[in-house]
Amino acid sequence: MSITALREGYGPATLRADAVAGLTVAIVALPLSMAIAIASGVGPERGLFTAIVGGFLVSLFGGSRFQIGGPAGAFIVLVNACVMQTGVEGLMLATFLSGIMLAVLGLLRLGSTIRFMPYPVTVGFTSGIGVIIFASQVKDMIGLRLDGPEPGPIVPKVEALWAARATLSPAAVGVALATVGVILAIQRFRPRWPSLLLGIALVTAASALIGLPVETIASKFGGLPRLLPAPHLPALGAEAVTAALPWAASFTLLGAIESLLSAMVADGMSGTLHRSNMELVAQGIANMGAAIFGGFCVTGTIARTATNVRSGGRTPMAGMLHALFVLGFMLIAAPLAGYIPLAALAGLLGIVAWNMIERHEFVALTRVSKGDALVLWVTFLVVVFRDLAEGIVLGFALGGLVFIRRMSEMTGLREGEPAVHDADTQSADLVTYHLHGAVFFGSVARLGTVLDRIAQRPRAVLLDVSEVTFVDSTGARMILQLAQKLSSRGGGLVIVGARPAVETALKAQGLTEPALRYAADAAAAGALVAP
């Protein structure tokens, strides 16, 4: 997409627009990248490395004009669990392997398949992640001190937080509430101002001046580096790769969905059309690059991408400049980040998590359809209480079953006059039925019982399929079995009105033309005659 944008012409006015948008996005990305990294169980500098390297590569090679890449809140739970099980080096390796998988998915042109994700699954998944992220920030929001590491699953997490309630810090609570209040006030009264950065900056300054006893980035992680680390490949030993592969697969699935959803949001806001396969290749390159420079999972980020569009970004150069602005911050102002209270970052992520919980869509989908409500709630509950990947897979499978049921309910059979027929075909021995809808494996159970009753009487049946939209091999096989039963009882089956695709499917199962009773009459109607 970068080359396409340059071919269209790139002048000073476009560069100026991209620079303004890139700076705006960088201001949003700075605190978010560090907050997401800390919540994920790694140092804040790794969030900056991810935003710089991953963000630059996503924009350079991507299939969307407006996509902004970097660390995403959706990965917090997975990354944290990966770090706890495999360590930081295992996380780097899983990120690198995920990059390879994403690139392969793009090269195999599988990007468009992500678009088939049912909307209830997307809403349930996103809302579930929001709940998980919010729960992960409660500890720092209220300054709790746990005896051991914070559990990952939400039920043990809540139990551990409740057990540590006596360690609550009023100072941390005040900092978190002040951060939320300042950010929301700026968003309400000065929506064009960088609310996230200003909220963090103002609360950090006030906390330092007052000398509040709260944990900061410097007190927990030390000072931030001013340069990117030297590139190095993660250790690729057989044992390490085996341990990292399941995490890499989860990162790949979540990254592909998140990135392409973000690109689709950008399409809707800008009226453009992204190239999904190229986007997956870019995400793969970005994840490999981020892992080499000490970063972790990179994906397209909906909030930052939307900010880019709203800020007037025109080409992928805006995303590349955003990464360079973040690098400039790290080079110049890294020592200042050490003063940021962890409670302030937790408050910021609390707002992000709350916005991710799609409350209005949740209510609407629950009211509109029982099937959509079932898919939505199952996905949401499995994501919150079990696993992100399981939630996606189970929600997608359940959505498919709901769709199959709806399609089968739209398929039916009725007795009547043929829509296309020759007058001479009418006879007391000839009964006409109209078949309509999609005749496939999902509707066979409903139709099979009716067709079995039809086949009990030895007579000729004229089956009008002009309203049949689709026939798969299972449906065609059912019609063939009807023909065979009628033939064995001295009757016959004539099929009229078949569309080319339907005719092909029927012939593939052995239905031929012409041959038997009423064949000459039905031929005038363009009929297939069952053997």
Side-chain angles (χ1 to χ4, degrees), residues 180-217:
V180 172
V182 171
I183 290 175
L184 294 180
I186 294 174
Q187 290 178 348
R188 174 70 182 274
F189 299 106
R190 290 290 186 270
R192 293 185 177 275
W193 290 10
S195 59
L196 300 184
L197 184 63
L198 285 177
I200 292 293
L202 291 174
V203 172
T204 298
S207 174
L209 289 173
I210 298 172
L212 290 177
V214 292
E215 198 170 27
T216 65
I217 287 179

PDB file of all heavy atoms in Angstrom, residues 180-217:
ATOM      1  N   VAL A 180      -8.439   9.010  35.793  1.00  0.00           N
ATOM      2  CA  VAL A 180      -9.691   8.774  35.070  1.00  0.00           C
ATOM      3  C   VAL A 180     -10.482  10.069  34.939  1.00  0.00           C
ATOM      4  O   VAL A 180     -11.006  10.408  33.867  1.00  0.00           O
ATOM      5  CB  VAL A 180     -10.532   7.705  35.793  1.00  0.00           C
ATOM      6  CG1 VAL A 180     -11.920   7.596  35.171  1.00  0.00           C
ATOM      7  CG2 VAL A 180      -9.833   6.355  35.756  1.00  0.00           C
ATOM      8  N   GLY A 181     -10.547  10.839  36.028  1.00  0.00           N
ATOM      9  CA  GLY A 181     -11.298  12.082  35.998  1.00  0.00           C
ATOM     10  C   GLY A 181     -10.741  13.097  35.021  1.00  0.00           C
ATOM     11  O   GLY A 181     -11.496  13.723  34.253  1.00  0.00           O
ATOM     12  N   VAL A 182      -9.423  13.255  35.015  1.00  0.00           N
ATOM     13  CA  VAL A 182      -8.800  14.223  34.099  1.00  0.00           C
ATOM     14  C   VAL A 182      -9.004  13.797  32.649  1.00  0.00           C
ATOM     15  O   VAL A 182      -9.355  14.615  31.786  1.00  0.00           O
ATOM     16  CB  VAL A 182      -7.289  14.365  34.420  1.00  0.00           C
ATOM     17  CG1 VAL A 182      -6.596  15.201  33.338  1.00  0.00           C
ATOM     18  CG2 VAL A 182      -7.099  15.017  35.780  1.00  0.00           C
ATOM     19  N   ILE A 183      -8.792  12.511  32.361  1.00  0.00           N
ATOM     20  CA  ILE A 183      -8.940  12.029  30.978  1.00  0.00           C
ATOM     21  C   ILE A 183     -10.373  12.224  30.494  1.00  0.00           C
ATOM     22  O   ILE A 183     -10.611  12.724  29.388  1.00  0.00           O
ATOM     23  CB  ILE A 183      -8.528  10.542  30.884  1.00  0.00           C
ATOM     24  CG1 ILE A 183      -7.011  10.408  31.072  1.00  0.00           C
ATOM     25  CG2 ILE A 183      -8.942   9.951  29.531  1.00  0.00           C
ATOM     26  CD1 ILE A 183      -6.528   8.976  31.126  1.00  0.00           C
ATOM     27  N   LEU A 184     -11.344  11.839  31.324  1.00  0.00           N
ATOM     28  CA  LEU A 184     -12.747  11.972  30.916  1.00  0.00           C
ATOM     29  C   LEU A 184     -13.150  13.437  30.773  1.00  0.00           C
ATOM     30  O   LEU A 184     -13.924  13.787  29.866  1.00  0.00           O
ATOM     31  CB  LEU A 184     -13.650  11.276  31.923  1.00  0.00           C
ATOM     32  CG  LEU A 184     -13.520   9.748  32.007  1.00  0.00           C
ATOM     33  CD1 LEU A 184     -14.475   9.181  33.043  1.00  0.00           C
ATOM     34  CD2 LEU A 184     -13.761   9.103  30.649  1.00  0.00           C
ATOM     35  N   ALA A 185     -12.635  14.301  31.648  1.00  0.00           N
ATOM     36  CA  ALA A 185     -12.963  15.722  31.551  1.00  0.00           C
ATOM     37  C   ALA A 185     -12.417  16.325  30.257  1.00  0.00           C
ATOM     38  O   ALA A 185     -13.105  17.101  29.572  1.00  0.00           O
ATOM     39  CB  ALA A 185     -12.399  16.469  32.761  1.00  0.00           C
ATOM     40  N   ILE A 186     -11.186  15.965  29.908  1.00  0.00           N
ATOM     41  CA  ILE A 186     -10.606  16.485  28.661  1.00  0.00           C
ATOM     42  C   ILE A 186     -11.379  15.960  27.465  1.00  0.00           C
ATOM     43  O   ILE A 186     -11.669  16.700  26.508  1.00  0.00           O
ATOM     44  CB  ILE A 186      -9.113  16.116  28.568  1.00  0.00           C
ATOM     45  CG1 ILE A 186      -8.324  16.841  29.670  1.00  0.00           C
ATOM     46  CG2 ILE A 186      -8.550  16.477  27.193  1.00  0.00           C
ATOM     47  CD1 ILE A 186      -6.880  16.418  29.754  1.00  0.00           C
ATOM     48  N   GLN A 187     -11.720  14.680  27.485  1.00  0.00           N
ATOM     49  CA  GLN A 187     -12.479  14.112  26.373  1.00  0.00           C
ATOM     50  C   GLN A 187     -13.843  14.774  26.242  1.00  0.00           C
ATOM     51  O   GLN A 187     -14.359  14.903  25.130  1.00  0.00           O
ATOM     52  CB  GLN A 187     -12.641  12.602  26.579  1.00  0.00           C
ATOM     53  CG  GLN A 187     -11.344  11.819  26.404  1.00  0.00           C
ATOM     54  CD  GLN A 187     -11.524  10.336  26.665  1.00  0.00           C
ATOM     55  OE1 GLN A 187     -12.550   9.901  27.191  1.00  0.00           O
ATOM     56  NE2 GLN A 187     -10.527   9.542  26.320  1.00  0.00           N
ATOM     57  N   ARG A 188     -14.425  15.210  27.356  1.00  0.00           N
ATOM     58  CA  ARG A 188     -15.751  15.829  27.323  1.00  0.00           C
ATOM     59  C   ARG A 188     -15.680  17.283  26.856  1.00  0.00           C
ATOM     60  O   ARG A 188     -16.468  17.700  26.002  1.00  0.00           O
ATOM     61  CB  ARG A 188     -16.375  15.740  28.718  1.00  0.00           C
ATOM     62  CG  ARG A 188     -17.700  16.483  28.869  1.00  0.00           C
ATOM     63  CD  ARG A 188     -18.808  15.800  28.093  1.00  0.00           C
ATOM     64  NE  ARG A 188     -20.063  16.529  28.207  1.00  0.00           N
ATOM     65  CZ  ARG A 188     -20.935  16.368  29.205  1.00  0.00           C
ATOM     66  NH1 ARG A 188     -20.674  15.489  30.171  1.00  0.00           N
ATOM     67  NH2 ARG A 188     -22.050  17.056  29.243  1.00  0.00           N
ATOM     68  N   PHE A 189     -14.742  18.055  27.411  1.00  0.00           N
ATOM     69  CA  PHE A 189     -14.740  19.495  27.162  1.00  0.00           C
ATOM     70  C   PHE A 189     -13.716  19.942  26.117  1.00  0.00           C
ATOM     71  O   PHE A 189     -13.869  21.001  25.520  1.00  0.00           O
ATOM     72  CB  PHE A 189     -14.494  20.242  28.473  1.00  0.00           C
ATOM     73  CG  PHE A 189     -15.548  19.985  29.503  1.00  0.00           C
ATOM     74  CD1 PHE A 189     -15.295  19.168  30.599  1.00  0.00           C
ATOM     75  CD2 PHE A 189     -16.815  20.526  29.366  1.00  0.00           C
ATOM     76  CE1 PHE A 189     -16.273  18.922  31.552  1.00  0.00           C
ATOM     77  CE2 PHE A 189     -17.811  20.282  30.312  1.00  0.00           C
ATOM     78  CZ  PHE A 189     -17.535  19.479  31.406  1.00  0.00           C
ATOM     79  N   ARG A 190     -12.669  19.150  25.893  1.00  0.00           N
ATOM     80  CA  ARG A 190     -11.664  19.477  24.881  1.00  0.00           C
ATOM     81  C   ARG A 190     -11.316  18.209  24.105  1.00  0.00           C
ATOM     82  O   ARG A 190     -10.227  17.657  24.223  1.00  0.00           O
ATOM     83  CB  ARG A 190     -10.396  20.053  25.527  1.00  0.00           C
ATOM     84  CG  ARG A 190     -10.576  21.442  26.126  1.00  0.00           C
ATOM     85  CD  ARG A 190     -10.769  22.472  25.003  1.00  0.00           C
ATOM     86  NE  ARG A 190     -10.809  23.839  25.549  1.00  0.00           N
ATOM     87  CZ  ARG A 190     -11.905  24.450  25.930  1.00  0.00           C
ATOM     88  NH1 ARG A 190     -13.075  23.807  25.864  1.00  0.00           N
ATOM     89  NH2 ARG A 190     -11.870  25.679  26.393  1.00  0.00           N
ATOM     90  N   PRO A 191     -12.277  17.711  23.314  1.00  0.00           N
ATOM     91  CA  PRO A 191     -12.093  16.404  22.661  1.00  0.00           C
ATOM     92  C   PRO A 191     -10.917  16.342  21.697  1.00  0.00           C
ATOM     93  O   PRO A 191     -10.437  15.252  21.392  1.00  0.00           O
ATOM     94  CB  PRO A 191     -13.428  16.183  21.936  1.00  0.00           C
ATOM     95  CG  PRO A 191     -14.035  17.540  21.800  1.00  0.00           C
ATOM     96  CD  PRO A 191     -13.577  18.313  22.994  1.00  0.00           C
ATOM     97  N   ARG A 192     -10.448  17.488  21.214  1.00  0.00           N
ATOM     98  CA  ARG A 192      -9.326  17.470  20.274  1.00  0.00           C
ATOM     99  C   ARG A 192      -7.974  17.408  20.986  1.00  0.00           C
ATOM    100  O   ARG A 192      -6.950  17.218  20.348  1.00  0.00           O
ATOM    101  CB  ARG A 192      -9.374  18.705  19.368  1.00  0.00           C
ATOM    102  CG  ARG A 192     -10.565  18.723  18.420  1.00  0.00           C
ATOM    103  CD  ARG A 192     -10.494  19.901  17.460  1.00  0.00           C
ATOM    104  NE  ARG A 192     -11.594  19.880  16.523  1.00  0.00           N
ATOM    105  CZ  ARG A 192     -11.591  19.191  15.381  1.00  0.00           C
ATOM    106  NH1 ARG A 192     -10.539  18.477  15.052  1.00  0.00           N
ATOM    107  NH2 ARG A 192     -12.635  19.216  14.577  1.00  0.00           N
ATOM    108  N   TRP A 193      -7.951  17.602  22.268  1.00  0.00           N
ATOM    109  CA  TRP A 193      -6.697  17.544  23.012  1.00  0.00           C
ATOM    110  C   TRP A 193      -6.296  16.082  23.262  1.00  0.00           C
ATOM    111  O   TRP A 193      -7.157  15.196  23.344  1.00  0.00           O
ATOM    112  CB  TRP A 193      -6.837  18.273  24.346  1.00  0.00           C
ATOM    113  CG  TRP A 193      -6.962  19.766  24.221  1.00  0.00           C
ATOM    114  CD1 TRP A 193      -7.144  20.488  23.074  1.00  0.00           C
ATOM    115  CD2 TRP A 193      -6.936  20.715  25.291  1.00  0.00           C
ATOM    116  NE1 TRP A 193      -7.237  21.829  23.353  1.00  0.00           N
ATOM    117  CE2 TRP A 193      -7.107  22.000  24.708  1.00  0.00           C
ATOM    118  CE3 TRP A 193      -6.801  20.622  26.664  1.00  0.00           C
ATOM    119  CZ2 TRP A 193      -7.131  23.162  25.462  1.00  0.00           C
ATOM    120  CZ3 TRP A 193      -6.826  21.775  27.436  1.00  0.00           C
ATOM    121  CH2 TRP A 193      -6.984  23.039  26.844  1.00  0.00           C
ATOM    122  N   PRO A 194      -4.999  15.810  23.405  1.00  0.00           N
ATOM    123  CA  PRO A 194      -4.527  14.425  23.677  1.00  0.00           C
ATOM    124  C   PRO A 194      -4.819  14.035  25.126  1.00  0.00           C
ATOM    125  O   PRO A 194      -3.969  14.180  26.012  1.00  0.00           O
ATOM    126  CB  PRO A 194      -3.031  14.508  23.394  1.00  0.00           C
ATOM    127  CG  PRO A 194      -2.667  15.936  23.646  1.00  0.00           C
ATOM    128  CD  PRO A 194      -3.874  16.737  23.215  1.00  0.00           C
ATOM    129  N   SER A 195      -6.010  13.552  25.362  1.00  0.00           N
ATOM    130  CA  SER A 195      -6.482  13.333  26.735  1.00  0.00           C
ATOM    131  C   SER A 195      -5.648  12.308  27.495  1.00  0.00           C
ATOM    132  O   SER A 195      -5.369  12.492  28.695  1.00  0.00           O
ATOM    133  CB  SER A 195      -7.948  12.899  26.712  1.00  0.00           C
ATOM    134  OG  SER A 195      -8.099  11.704  25.959  1.00  0.00           O
ATOM    135  N   LEU A 196      -5.251  11.225  26.837  1.00  0.00           N
ATOM    136  CA  LEU A 196      -4.506  10.179  27.538  1.00  0.00           C
ATOM    137  C   LEU A 196      -3.156  10.693  28.029  1.00  0.00           C
ATOM    138  O   LEU A 196      -2.778  10.493  29.193  1.00  0.00           O
ATOM    139  CB  LEU A 196      -4.314   8.962  26.622  1.00  0.00           C
ATOM    140  CG  LEU A 196      -5.582   8.282  26.110  1.00  0.00           C
ATOM    141  CD1 LEU A 196      -5.224   7.038  25.301  1.00  0.00           C
ATOM    142  CD2 LEU A 196      -6.498   7.902  27.261  1.00  0.00           C
ATOM    143  N   LEU A 197      -2.415  11.351  27.134  1.00  0.00           N
ATOM    144  CA  LEU A 197      -1.096  11.858  27.518  1.00  0.00           C
ATOM    145  C   LEU A 197      -1.210  12.959  28.559  1.00  0.00           C
ATOM    146  O   LEU A 197      -0.456  12.989  29.543  1.00  0.00           O
ATOM    147  CB  LEU A 197      -0.350  12.366  26.283  1.00  0.00           C
ATOM    148  CG  LEU A 197       1.091  12.841  26.537  1.00  0.00           C
ATOM    149  CD1 LEU A 197       1.936  11.680  27.019  1.00  0.00           C
ATOM    150  CD2 LEU A 197       1.689  13.451  25.284  1.00  0.00           C
ATOM    151  N   LEU A 198      -2.158  13.867  28.364  1.00  0.00           N
ATOM    152  CA  LEU A 198      -2.312  14.964  29.323  1.00  0.00           C
ATOM    153  C   LEU A 198      -2.750  14.440  30.686  1.00  0.00           C
ATOM    154  O   LEU A 198      -2.284  14.918  31.731  1.00  0.00           O
ATOM    155  CB  LEU A 198      -3.336  15.968  28.797  1.00  0.00           C
ATOM    156  CG  LEU A 198      -2.866  16.885  27.660  1.00  0.00           C
ATOM    157  CD1 LEU A 198      -4.003  17.766  27.184  1.00  0.00           C
ATOM    158  CD2 LEU A 198      -1.682  17.739  28.110  1.00  0.00           C
ATOM    159  N   GLY A 199      -3.640  13.464  30.699  1.00  0.00           N
ATOM    160  CA  GLY A 199      -4.077  12.899  31.967  1.00  0.00           C
ATOM    161  C   GLY A 199      -2.921  12.280  32.726  1.00  0.00           C
ATOM    162  O   GLY A 199      -2.751  12.519  33.933  1.00  0.00           O
ATOM    163  N   ILE A 200      -2.104  11.489  32.032  1.00  0.00           N
ATOM    164  CA  ILE A 200      -0.945  10.868  32.675  1.00  0.00           C
ATOM    165  C   ILE A 200       0.052  11.929  33.124  1.00  0.00           C
ATOM    166  O   ILE A 200       0.587  11.885  34.245  1.00  0.00           O
ATOM    167  CB  ILE A 200      -0.274   9.872  31.710  1.00  0.00           C
ATOM    168  CG1 ILE A 200      -1.183   8.665  31.452  1.00  0.00           C
ATOM    169  CG2 ILE A 200       1.076   9.415  32.250  1.00  0.00           C
ATOM    170  CD1 ILE A 200      -1.396   7.791  32.648  1.00  0.00           C
ATOM    171  N   ALA A 201       0.322  12.918  32.254  1.00  0.00           N
ATOM    172  CA  ALA A 201       1.320  13.941  32.569  1.00  0.00           C
ATOM    173  C   ALA A 201       0.906  14.779  33.775  1.00  0.00           C
ATOM    174  O   ALA A 201       1.716  15.031  34.694  1.00  0.00           O
ATOM    175  CB  ALA A 201       1.543  14.836  31.358  1.00  0.00           C
ATOM    176  N   LEU A 202      -0.337  15.228  33.816  1.00  0.00           N
ATOM    177  CA  LEU A 202      -0.793  16.079  34.914  1.00  0.00           C
ATOM    178  C   LEU A 202      -0.798  15.334  36.243  1.00  0.00           C
ATOM    179  O   LEU A 202      -0.343  15.856  37.273  1.00  0.00           O
ATOM    180  CB  LEU A 202      -2.192  16.624  34.599  1.00  0.00           C
ATOM    181  CG  LEU A 202      -2.277  17.636  33.449  1.00  0.00           C
ATOM    182  CD1 LEU A 202      -3.728  17.990  33.144  1.00  0.00           C
ATOM    183  CD2 LEU A 202      -1.483  18.902  33.789  1.00  0.00           C
ATOM    184  N   VAL A 203      -1.300  14.126  36.240  1.00  0.00           N
ATOM    185  CA  VAL A 203      -1.350  13.354  37.482  1.00  0.00           C
ATOM    186  C   VAL A 203       0.059  12.977  37.938  1.00  0.00           C
ATOM    187  O   VAL A 203       0.364  13.000  39.150  1.00  0.00           O
ATOM    188  CB  VAL A 203      -2.226  12.101  37.296  1.00  0.00           C
ATOM    189  CG1 VAL A 203      -2.138  11.186  38.518  1.00  0.00           C
ATOM    190  CG2 VAL A 203      -3.662  12.499  37.037  1.00  0.00           C
ATOM    191  N   THR A 204       0.941  12.652  36.990  1.00  0.00           N
ATOM    192  CA  THR A 204       2.322  12.334  37.351  1.00  0.00           C
ATOM    193  C   THR A 204       3.010  13.542  37.991  1.00  0.00           C
ATOM    194  O   THR A 204       3.703  13.414  39.017  1.00  0.00           O
ATOM    195  CB  THR A 204       3.111  11.889  36.111  1.00  0.00           C
ATOM    196  OG1 THR A 204       2.520  10.696  35.580  1.00  0.00           O
ATOM    197  CG2 THR A 204       4.574  11.609  36.455  1.00  0.00           C
ATOM    198  N   ALA A 205       2.826  14.707  37.391  1.00  0.00           N
ATOM    199  CA  ALA A 205       3.439  15.917  37.946  1.00  0.00           C
ATOM    200  C   ALA A 205       2.912  16.207  39.352  1.00  0.00           C
ATOM    201  O   ALA A 205       3.680  16.512  40.279  1.00  0.00           O
ATOM    202  CB  ALA A 205       3.161  17.097  37.017  1.00  0.00           C
ATOM    203  N   ALA A 206       1.585  16.110  39.524  1.00  0.00           N
ATOM    204  CA  ALA A 206       0.999  16.369  40.840  1.00  0.00           C
ATOM    205  C   ALA A 206       1.478  15.353  41.873  1.00  0.00           C
ATOM    206  O   ALA A 206       1.806  15.709  43.016  1.00  0.00           O
ATOM    207  CB  ALA A 206      -0.525  16.335  40.733  1.00  0.00           C
ATOM    208  N   SER A 207       1.554  14.087  41.475  1.00  0.00           N
ATOM    209  CA  SER A 207       2.002  13.043  42.390  1.00  0.00           C
ATOM    210  C   SER A 207       3.445  13.269  42.834  1.00  0.00           C
ATOM    211  O   SER A 207       3.791  13.099  44.016  1.00  0.00           O
ATOM    212  CB  SER A 207       1.868  11.675  41.712  1.00  0.00           C
ATOM    213  OG  SER A 207       2.411  10.655  42.514  1.00  0.00           O
ATOM    214  N   ALA A 208       4.309  13.677  41.876  1.00  0.00           N
ATOM    215  CA  ALA A 208       5.716  13.912  42.210  1.00  0.00           C
ATOM    216  C   ALA A 208       5.879  15.134  43.113  1.00  0.00           C
ATOM    217  O   ALA A 208       6.672  15.122  44.064  1.00  0.00           O
ATOM    218  CB  ALA A 208       6.520  14.087  40.923  1.00  0.00           C
ATOM    219  N   LEU A 209       5.125  16.190  42.830  1.00  0.00           N
ATOM    220  CA  LEU A 209       5.238  17.414  43.630  1.00  0.00           C
ATOM    221  C   LEU A 209       4.739  17.194  45.059  1.00  0.00           C
ATOM    222  O   LEU A 209       5.328  17.685  46.025  1.00  0.00           O
ATOM    223  CB  LEU A 209       4.439  18.544  42.969  1.00  0.00           C
ATOM    224  CG  LEU A 209       5.031  19.109  41.666  1.00  0.00           C
ATOM    225  CD1 LEU A 209       4.078  20.095  41.025  1.00  0.00           C
ATOM    226  CD2 LEU A 209       6.390  19.765  41.942  1.00  0.00           C
ATOM    227  N   ILE A 210       3.645  16.457  45.197  1.00  0.00           N
ATOM    228  CA  ILE A 210       3.087  16.196  46.527  1.00  0.00           C
ATOM    229  C   ILE A 210       3.905  15.147  47.274  1.00  0.00           C
ATOM    230  O   ILE A 210       3.957  15.142  48.509  1.00  0.00           O
ATOM    231  CB  ILE A 210       1.617  15.748  46.404  1.00  0.00           C
ATOM    232  CG1 ILE A 210       0.774  16.862  45.774  1.00  0.00           C
ATOM    233  CG2 ILE A 210       1.037  15.363  47.757  1.00  0.00           C
ATOM    234  CD1 ILE A 210      -0.639  16.443  45.448  1.00  0.00           C
ATOM    235  N   GLY A 211       4.577  14.292  46.508  1.00  0.00           N
ATOM    236  CA  GLY A 211       5.354  13.216  47.128  1.00  0.00           C
ATOM    237  C   GLY A 211       4.487  12.078  47.617  1.00  0.00           C
ATOM    238  O   GLY A 211       4.712  11.529  48.705  1.00  0.00           O
ATOM    239  N   LEU A 212       3.488  11.682  46.804  1.00  0.00           N
ATOM    240  CA  LEU A 212       2.589  10.600  47.198  1.00  0.00           C
ATOM    241  C   LEU A 212       3.339   9.269  47.267  1.00  0.00           C
ATOM    242  O   LEU A 212       4.178   8.963  46.413  1.00  0.00           O
ATOM    243  CB  LEU A 212       1.437  10.485  46.197  1.00  0.00           C
ATOM    244  CG  LEU A 212       0.414  11.625  46.193  1.00  0.00           C
ATOM    245  CD1 LEU A 212      -0.608  11.402  45.091  1.00  0.00           C
ATOM    246  CD2 LEU A 212      -0.269  11.751  47.548  1.00  0.00           C
ATOM    247  N   PRO A 213       3.035   8.461  48.260  1.00  0.00           N
ATOM    248  CA  PRO A 213       3.709   7.155  48.391  1.00  0.00           C
ATOM    249  C   PRO A 213       3.084   6.101  47.472  1.00  0.00           C
ATOM    250  O   PRO A 213       2.371   5.190  47.919  1.00  0.00           O
ATOM    251  CB  PRO A 213       3.477   6.807  49.864  1.00  0.00           C
ATOM    252  CG  PRO A 213       2.172   7.458  50.200  1.00  0.00           C
ATOM    253  CD  PRO A 213       2.122   8.722  49.394  1.00  0.00           C
ATOM    254  N   VAL A 214       3.339   6.230  46.174  1.00  0.00           N
ATOM    255  CA  VAL A 214       2.799   5.284  45.199  1.00  0.00           C
ATOM    256  C   VAL A 214       3.942   4.687  44.393  1.00  0.00           C
ATOM    257  O   VAL A 214       4.997   5.308  44.223  1.00  0.00           O
ATOM    258  CB  VAL A 214       1.783   5.963  44.251  1.00  0.00           C
ATOM    259  CG1 VAL A 214       0.533   6.360  44.994  1.00  0.00           C
ATOM    260  CG2 VAL A 214       2.404   7.170  43.567  1.00  0.00           C
ATOM    261  N   GLU A 215       3.708   3.485  43.909  1.00  0.00           N
ATOM    262  CA  GLU A 215       4.711   2.800  43.094  1.00  0.00           C
ATOM    263  C   GLU A 215       4.757   3.423  41.711  1.00  0.00           C
ATOM    264  O   GLU A 215       3.719   3.727  41.120  1.00  0.00           O
ATOM    265  CB  GLU A 215       4.365   1.314  42.998  1.00  0.00           C
ATOM    266  CG  GLU A 215       5.502   0.434  42.560  1.00  0.00           C
ATOM    267  CD  GLU A 215       5.196  -1.045  42.710  1.00  0.00           C
ATOM    268  OE1 GLU A 215       3.999  -1.413  42.658  1.00  0.00           O
ATOM    269  OE2 GLU A 215       6.129  -1.841  42.873  1.00  0.00           O
ATOM    270  N   THR A 216       5.967   3.644  41.185  1.00  0.00           N
ATOM    271  CA  THR A 216       6.150   4.250  39.873  1.00  0.00           C
ATOM    272  C   THR A 216       6.884   3.303  38.946  1.00  0.00           C
ATOM    273  O   THR A 216       7.372   2.246  39.363  1.00  0.00           O
ATOM    274  CB  THR A 216       6.942   5.560  39.992  1.00  0.00           C
ATOM    275  OG1 THR A 216       8.265   5.259  40.451  1.00  0.00           O
ATOM    276  CG2 THR A 216       6.276   6.534  40.950  1.00  0.00           C
ATOM    277  N   ILE A 217       6.987   3.691  37.684  1.00  0.00           N
ATOM    278  CA  ILE A 217       7.736   2.882  36.718  1.00  0.00           C
ATOM    279  C   ILE A 217       9.181   2.720  37.165  1.00  0.00           C
ATOM    280  O   ILE A 217       9.753   1.620  37.116  1.00  0.00           O
ATOM    281  CB  ILE A 217       7.657   3.532  35.314  1.00  0.00           C
ATOM    282  CG1 ILE A 217       6.256   3.347  34.724  1.00  0.00           C
ATOM    283  CG2 ILE A 217       8.702   2.917  34.386  1.00  0.00           C
ATOM    284  CD1 ILE A 217       6.078   3.978  33.367  1.00  0.00           C
TER     285      ILE A 217
END
